[in-house]
Short mmCIF file of all heavy atoms in Angstrom, two decimals:
data_model
loop_
_atom_site.label_atom_id
_atom_site.label_comp_id
_atom_site.label_asym_id
_atom_site.label_seq_id
_atom_site.Cartn_x
_atom_site.Cartn_y
_atom_site.Cartn_z
N GLN A 215 -7.11 9.39 4.48
CA GLN A 215 -7.20 8.47 5.61
C GLN A 215 -5.80 8.19 6.15
O GLN A 215 -4.83 8.24 5.41
CB GLN A 215 -7.86 7.15 5.17
CG GLN A 215 -9.32 7.28 4.84
CD GLN A 215 -10.17 7.66 6.03
OE1 GLN A 215 -9.89 7.26 7.17
NE2 GLN A 215 -11.21 8.46 5.80
N PRO A 216 -5.69 7.90 7.46
CA PRO A 216 -6.76 7.92 8.45
C PRO A 216 -7.22 9.35 8.75
O PRO A 216 -6.63 10.32 8.29
CB PRO A 216 -6.12 7.26 9.66
CG PRO A 216 -4.66 7.50 9.51
CD PRO A 216 -4.39 7.49 8.03
N GLU A 217 -8.27 9.44 9.54
CA GLU A 217 -8.89 10.74 9.82
C GLU A 217 -7.91 11.75 10.42
O GLU A 217 -7.99 12.94 10.14
CB GLU A 217 -10.07 10.52 10.80
CG GLU A 217 -10.97 11.73 10.96
CD GLU A 217 -11.86 12.00 9.76
OE1 GLU A 217 -11.94 11.16 8.87
OE2 GLU A 217 -12.46 13.09 9.73
N SER A 218 -6.96 11.26 11.20
CA SER A 218 -5.97 12.16 11.81
C SER A 218 -5.16 12.89 10.73
O SER A 218 -4.81 14.07 10.90
CB SER A 218 -5.03 11.39 12.73
OG SER A 218 -4.35 10.36 12.02
N ARG A 219 -4.86 12.22 9.63
CA ARG A 219 -4.11 12.87 8.53
C ARG A 219 -4.99 13.89 7.81
O ARG A 219 -4.50 14.94 7.41
CB ARG A 219 -3.61 11.81 7.54
CG ARG A 219 -2.69 10.80 8.16
CD ARG A 219 -1.35 11.40 8.57
NE ARG A 219 -0.68 10.53 9.51
CZ ARG A 219 -0.09 10.91 10.63
NH1 ARG A 219 -0.03 12.18 10.96
NH2 ARG A 219 0.49 10.04 11.43
N ARG A 220 -6.25 13.55 7.64
CA ARG A 220 -7.17 14.51 7.02
C ARG A 220 -7.23 15.79 7.85
O ARG A 220 -7.15 16.91 7.31
CB ARG A 220 -8.56 13.89 6.89
CG ARG A 220 -9.63 14.84 6.35
CD ARG A 220 -10.99 14.12 6.25
NE ARG A 220 -12.04 15.05 5.92
CZ ARG A 220 -12.73 15.75 6.82
NH1 ARG A 220 -12.45 15.64 8.10
NH2 ARG A 220 -13.69 16.58 6.44
N ASN A 221 -7.36 15.64 9.16
CA ASN A 221 -7.43 16.81 10.04
C ASN A 221 -6.14 17.62 9.97
O ASN A 221 -6.17 18.86 9.98
CB ASN A 221 -7.70 16.36 11.47
CG ASN A 221 -9.07 15.73 11.62
OD1 ASN A 221 -9.98 15.99 10.81
ND2 ASN A 221 -9.26 14.91 12.65
N GLU A 222 -5.02 16.93 9.90
CA GLU A 222 -3.71 17.59 9.82
C GLU A 222 -3.59 18.42 8.54
O GLU A 222 -3.14 19.57 8.57
CB GLU A 222 -2.64 16.50 9.87
CG GLU A 222 -1.22 16.91 9.58
CD GLU A 222 -0.32 15.70 9.39
OE1 GLU A 222 -0.40 14.74 10.19
OE2 GLU A 222 0.47 15.68 8.42
N ILE A 223 -4.00 17.85 7.41
CA ILE A 223 -3.90 18.55 6.13
C ILE A 223 -4.87 19.73 6.07
O ILE A 223 -4.51 20.82 5.60
CB ILE A 223 -4.14 17.57 4.97
CG1 ILE A 223 -3.01 16.54 4.90
CG2 ILE A 223 -4.28 18.31 3.64
CD1 ILE A 223 -1.63 17.13 4.69
N ARG A 224 -6.07 19.53 6.56
CA ARG A 224 -7.05 20.64 6.57
C ARG A 224 -6.51 21.80 7.39
O ARG A 224 -6.59 22.97 6.99
CB ARG A 224 -8.39 20.18 7.15
CG ARG A 224 -9.21 19.28 6.23
CD ARG A 224 -10.58 18.99 6.84
NE ARG A 224 -11.52 20.07 6.53
CZ ARG A 224 -11.81 21.07 7.33
NH1 ARG A 224 -11.25 21.16 8.53
NH2 ARG A 224 -12.67 21.99 6.98
N ALA A 225 -5.97 21.48 8.58
CA ALA A 225 -5.46 22.53 9.46
C ALA A 225 -4.28 23.26 8.82
O ALA A 225 -4.16 24.48 8.93
CB ALA A 225 -5.05 21.92 10.80
N PHE A 226 -3.43 22.51 8.12
CA PHE A 226 -2.28 23.11 7.45
C PHE A 226 -2.72 24.12 6.39
O PHE A 226 -2.20 25.23 6.31
CB PHE A 226 -1.44 22.00 6.82
CG PHE A 226 -0.23 22.49 6.07
CD1 PHE A 226 0.92 22.88 6.74
CD2 PHE A 226 -0.25 22.58 4.68
CE1 PHE A 226 2.04 23.34 6.04
CE2 PHE A 226 0.85 23.04 3.98
CZ PHE A 226 2.00 23.43 4.66
N ILE A 227 -3.70 23.74 5.57
CA ILE A 227 -4.18 24.65 4.52
C ILE A 227 -4.88 25.85 5.13
O ILE A 227 -4.66 27.01 4.72
CB ILE A 227 -5.13 23.90 3.56
CG1 ILE A 227 -4.36 22.86 2.75
CG2 ILE A 227 -5.82 24.88 2.61
CD1 ILE A 227 -5.23 22.04 1.82
N GLN A 228 -5.74 25.61 6.11
CA GLN A 228 -6.49 26.72 6.73
C GLN A 228 -5.55 27.73 7.37
O GLN A 228 -5.76 28.94 7.26
CB GLN A 228 -7.48 26.16 7.75
CG GLN A 228 -8.66 25.45 7.11
CD GLN A 228 -9.54 24.75 8.13
OE1 GLN A 228 -9.06 24.28 9.17
NE2 GLN A 228 -10.83 24.67 7.86
N GLN A 229 -4.49 27.23 8.02
CA GLN A 229 -3.53 28.14 8.64
C GLN A 229 -2.81 28.96 7.58
O GLN A 229 -2.59 30.16 7.75
CB GLN A 229 -2.51 27.34 9.46
CG GLN A 229 -1.59 28.20 10.32
CD GLN A 229 -2.33 29.01 11.36
OE1 GLN A 229 -3.18 28.48 12.07
NE2 GLN A 229 -2.04 30.31 11.46
N GLY A 230 -2.43 28.30 6.46
CA GLY A 230 -1.77 29.02 5.39
C GLY A 230 -2.66 30.10 4.79
O GLY A 230 -2.21 31.23 4.54
N LEU A 231 -3.92 29.77 4.56
CA LEU A 231 -4.86 30.75 4.00
C LEU A 231 -5.05 31.92 4.96
O LEU A 231 -5.20 33.08 4.53
CB LEU A 231 -6.20 30.08 3.69
CG LEU A 231 -6.19 29.08 2.52
CD1 LEU A 231 -7.51 28.33 2.47
CD2 LEU A 231 -5.93 29.80 1.20
N LYS A 232 -5.02 31.63 6.24
CA LYS A 232 -5.17 32.69 7.24
C LYS A 232 -3.92 33.57 7.31
O LYS A 232 -4.00 34.80 7.31
CB LYS A 232 -5.45 32.05 8.60
CG LYS A 232 -5.59 33.06 9.75
CD LYS A 232 -5.82 32.33 11.07
CE LYS A 232 -5.86 33.32 12.22
NZ LYS A 232 -6.00 32.63 13.53
N ASP A 233 -2.76 32.92 7.32
CA ASP A 233 -1.50 33.65 7.47
C ASP A 233 -1.22 34.54 6.27
O ASP A 233 -0.59 35.61 6.41
CB ASP A 233 -0.33 32.68 7.66
CG ASP A 233 -0.36 31.99 9.01
OD1 ASP A 233 -1.12 32.44 9.89
OD2 ASP A 233 0.37 30.99 9.19
N PHE A 234 -1.63 34.12 5.08
CA PHE A 234 -1.29 34.86 3.87
C PHE A 234 -2.54 35.37 3.14
O PHE A 234 -2.58 35.44 1.92
CB PHE A 234 -0.46 33.97 2.93
CG PHE A 234 0.86 33.58 3.52
CD1 PHE A 234 1.06 32.31 4.03
CD2 PHE A 234 1.90 34.50 3.60
CE1 PHE A 234 2.28 31.94 4.59
CE2 PHE A 234 3.12 34.14 4.16
CZ PHE A 234 3.31 32.86 4.66
N ALA A 235 -3.55 35.71 3.92
CA ALA A 235 -4.80 36.21 3.32
C ALA A 235 -4.56 37.46 2.48
O ALA A 235 -5.22 37.67 1.45
CB ALA A 235 -5.82 36.51 4.42
N ASP A 236 -3.58 38.30 2.90
CA ASP A 236 -3.31 39.53 2.16
C ASP A 236 -2.34 39.31 1.01
O ASP A 236 -2.25 40.14 0.10
CB ASP A 236 -2.76 40.61 3.11
CG ASP A 236 -1.51 40.15 3.84
OD1 ASP A 236 -1.34 38.91 3.99
OD2 ASP A 236 -0.71 41.00 4.27
N ARG A 237 -1.58 38.19 1.02
CA ARG A 237 -0.62 37.90 -0.05
C ARG A 237 -0.70 36.41 -0.41
O ARG A 237 0.22 35.64 -0.12
CB ARG A 237 0.80 38.27 0.39
CG ARG A 237 1.02 39.75 0.61
CD ARG A 237 2.50 40.04 0.78
NE ARG A 237 3.25 39.75 -0.43
CZ ARG A 237 4.60 39.69 -0.46
NH1 ARG A 237 5.29 39.88 0.65
NH2 ARG A 237 5.22 39.43 -1.59
N PRO A 238 -1.80 35.99 -1.04
CA PRO A 238 -1.98 34.56 -1.32
C PRO A 238 -0.90 33.97 -2.22
O PRO A 238 -0.65 32.77 -2.15
CB PRO A 238 -3.36 34.51 -2.00
CG PRO A 238 -3.62 35.89 -2.49
CD PRO A 238 -2.95 36.79 -1.51
N GLU A 239 -0.23 34.83 -3.02
CA GLU A 239 0.82 34.28 -3.90
C GLU A 239 1.96 33.66 -3.11
O GLU A 239 2.74 32.86 -3.64
CB GLU A 239 1.35 35.37 -4.84
CG GLU A 239 2.20 36.44 -4.19
CD GLU A 239 1.39 37.56 -3.52
OE1 GLU A 239 0.14 37.47 -3.52
OE2 GLU A 239 2.00 38.52 -3.01
N LYS A 240 2.07 34.00 -1.81
CA LYS A 240 3.08 33.39 -0.96
C LYS A 240 2.84 31.88 -0.80
O LYS A 240 3.75 31.14 -0.44
CB LYS A 240 3.08 34.04 0.43
CG LYS A 240 3.76 35.40 0.48
CD LYS A 240 5.26 35.23 0.52
CE LYS A 240 5.97 36.53 0.82
NZ LYS A 240 7.44 36.35 0.82
N LEU A 241 1.62 31.45 -1.10
CA LEU A 241 1.28 30.04 -0.99
C LEU A 241 1.54 29.29 -2.30
O LEU A 241 1.39 28.07 -2.35
CB LEU A 241 -0.19 29.86 -0.59
CG LEU A 241 -0.55 30.39 0.81
CD1 LEU A 241 -2.06 30.39 1.00
CD2 LEU A 241 0.10 29.51 1.88
N ASP A 242 1.90 30.02 -3.35
CA ASP A 242 2.18 29.35 -4.61
C ASP A 242 3.43 28.50 -4.47
O ASP A 242 4.30 28.73 -3.63
CB ASP A 242 2.33 30.37 -5.74
CG ASP A 242 1.00 31.00 -6.12
OD1 ASP A 242 -0.05 30.48 -5.67
OD2 ASP A 242 1.00 32.00 -6.85
N LEU A 243 3.54 27.49 -5.34
CA LEU A 243 4.56 26.46 -5.20
C LEU A 243 5.62 26.59 -6.28
O LEU A 243 5.31 26.63 -7.47
CB LEU A 243 3.90 25.08 -5.30
CG LEU A 243 4.82 23.87 -5.14
CD1 LEU A 243 5.35 23.78 -3.71
CD2 LEU A 243 4.08 22.59 -5.51
N SER A 244 6.88 26.66 -5.85
CA SER A 244 7.99 26.66 -6.79
C SER A 244 8.07 25.29 -7.46
O SER A 244 8.14 24.26 -6.78
CB SER A 244 9.30 26.95 -6.03
OG SER A 244 10.41 26.72 -6.86
N VAL A 245 8.04 25.26 -8.80
CA VAL A 245 7.99 23.98 -9.52
C VAL A 245 9.14 23.81 -10.51
O VAL A 245 9.06 23.01 -11.44
CB VAL A 245 6.64 23.78 -10.23
CG1 VAL A 245 5.54 23.50 -9.23
CG2 VAL A 245 6.30 24.96 -11.13
N SER A 246 10.23 24.57 -10.34
CA SER A 246 11.42 24.32 -11.16
C SER A 246 12.66 24.68 -10.37
O SER A 246 12.60 25.40 -9.37
CB SER A 246 11.36 25.13 -12.47
OG SER A 246 11.64 26.49 -12.23
N ARG A 247 13.82 24.16 -10.84
CA ARG A 247 15.10 24.43 -10.21
C ARG A 247 16.14 24.71 -11.30
O ARG A 247 16.09 24.14 -12.40
CB ARG A 247 15.57 23.21 -9.40
CG ARG A 247 14.64 22.82 -8.27
CD ARG A 247 14.75 23.77 -7.08
NE ARG A 247 13.87 23.34 -6.01
CZ ARG A 247 12.59 23.71 -5.90
NH1 ARG A 247 12.05 24.52 -6.79
NH2 ARG A 247 11.86 23.28 -4.89
N THR A 248 17.10 25.59 -10.94
CA THR A 248 18.23 25.84 -11.83
C THR A 248 19.56 25.47 -11.18
O THR A 248 20.60 25.55 -11.82
CB THR A 248 18.29 27.33 -12.23
OG1 THR A 248 18.39 28.13 -11.04
CG2 THR A 248 17.05 27.74 -13.03
N SER A 249 19.51 25.03 -9.91
CA SER A 249 20.74 24.78 -9.16
C SER A 249 21.31 23.38 -9.40
O SER A 249 22.37 23.05 -8.90
CB SER A 249 20.48 24.98 -7.66
OG SER A 249 19.39 24.19 -7.24
N PHE A 250 20.60 22.55 -10.14
CA PHE A 250 21.12 21.24 -10.52
C PHE A 250 20.46 20.84 -11.84
O PHE A 250 19.54 21.51 -12.32
CB PHE A 250 20.86 20.18 -9.43
CG PHE A 250 19.41 19.96 -9.10
CD1 PHE A 250 18.68 18.95 -9.72
CD2 PHE A 250 18.75 20.76 -8.17
CE1 PHE A 250 17.34 18.76 -9.44
CE2 PHE A 250 17.42 20.57 -7.88
CZ PHE A 250 16.71 19.56 -8.51
#
Side-chain angles (χ1 to χ4, degrees):
Q215 291 295 326
E217 191 73 11
S218 58
R219 300 291 162 226
R220 175 179 172 273
N221 294 337
E222 171 191 315
I223 294 300
R224 286 186 84 263
F226 179 78
I227 292 178
Q228 287 173 328
Q229 189 62 48
L231 291 171
K232 179 182 176 183
D233 290 347
F234 297 103
D236 56 336
R237 294 190 65 193
E239 71 278 2
K240 283 281 190 181
L241 295 170
D242 289 348
L243 181 68
S244 169
V245 288
S246 75
R247 299 285 181 271
T248 58
S249 54
F250 60 94

